[in-house]
Amino acid sequence: MITSRDQVTAMIVASKVRQGLKWAHAAEAIGKSKEWTTAGCLGQMAFDKTQAEALGRLFELPDEAVAWLQIVPHKGSLPSAVPSDPLIYRWYELVNVYGSTIKELIHEEFGDGIMSAIDFSMDIQREHDPRGDRVHVVLSGKFLPYKSY
């Protein structure tokens, strides 16, 4: 019996390792980006029935797990307030160092509002560099102005 989405995530990761799959394989199976698909497989997005069934076949999941993939998850559910994983912590550090700069420049360009994480896309690529490869990340979110009432 599956009692949480975390159990389904663990099943997916175990199957991915066992089969030697990449997240791009899962993305191809459902016709979505590797970034969005990975977020979903790690428990941050809900899949529709067709997508969930395709992932179920790919990851050899039982029907109960496929059903869980279609339930809206509790988003942003990291286990601690300050992440301890070094890679995730560096993103936390990046926001701590550059967050006020990002906020200031967005407000200067767009006005008072926020960048949506709902109407959002992300692209992560390897950028080859003779001095050491770089991580190239593009984040794109719709600007949502605050309204007066």
Side-chain angles (χ1 to χ4, degrees):
M1 173 185 220
I2 299 172
T3 59
S4 77
R5 185 62 164 71
D6 290 341
Q7 290 173 290
V8 178
T9 297
M11 294 167 75
I12 288 171
V13 171
S15 179
K16 178 182 175 287
V17 170
R18 185 178 67 255
Q19 295 185 68
L21 297 171
K22 294 199 172 281
W23 292 118
H25 294 121
E28 186 178 308
I30 66 169
K32 295 290 182 186
S33 74
K34 72 181 182 298
E35 293 80 9
W36 186 85
T37 304
T38 303
C41 289
L42 295 178
Q44 295 298 308
M45 303 292 168
F47 297 104
D48 67 26
K49 185 174 182 6
T50 302
Q51 294 165 338
E53 289 172 346
L55 292 170
R57 288 188 296 276
L58 178 68
F59 292 119
E60 301 169 345
L61 300 174
D63 291 343
E64 185 180 10
V66 171
W68 274 91
L69 290 175
Q70 299 169 68
I71 295 171
V72 176
H74 182 78
K75 295 181 185 342
S77 53
L78 289 175
S80 63
V82 177
S84 60
D85 178 276
L87 194 142
I88 297 172
Y89 177 79
R90 290 299 177 226
W91 279 93
Y92 179 82
E93 178 183 50
L94 187 146
V95 170
N96 273 317
V97 173
Y98 290 102
S100 58
T101 300
I102 294 166
K103 175 182 170 51
E104 183 66 25
L105 293 173
I106 288 173
H107 287 188
E108 183 176 270
E109 181 68 27
F110 294 90
D112 188 15
I114 62 170
M115 183 178 108
S116 176
I118 295 170
D119 190 340
F120 178 83
S121 65
M122 172 175 37
D123 183 51
I124 300 174
Q125 299 293 326
R126 177 183 222 123
E127 189 177 301
H128 296 287
D129 188 306
R131 295 168 293 165
D133 287 356
R134 303 182 66 81
V135 179
H136 185 86
V137 179
V138 176
L139 307 174
S140 178
K142 180 180 180 180
F143 180 74
L144 303 172
Y146 285 104
K147 63 181 188 178
S148 300
Y149 56 94

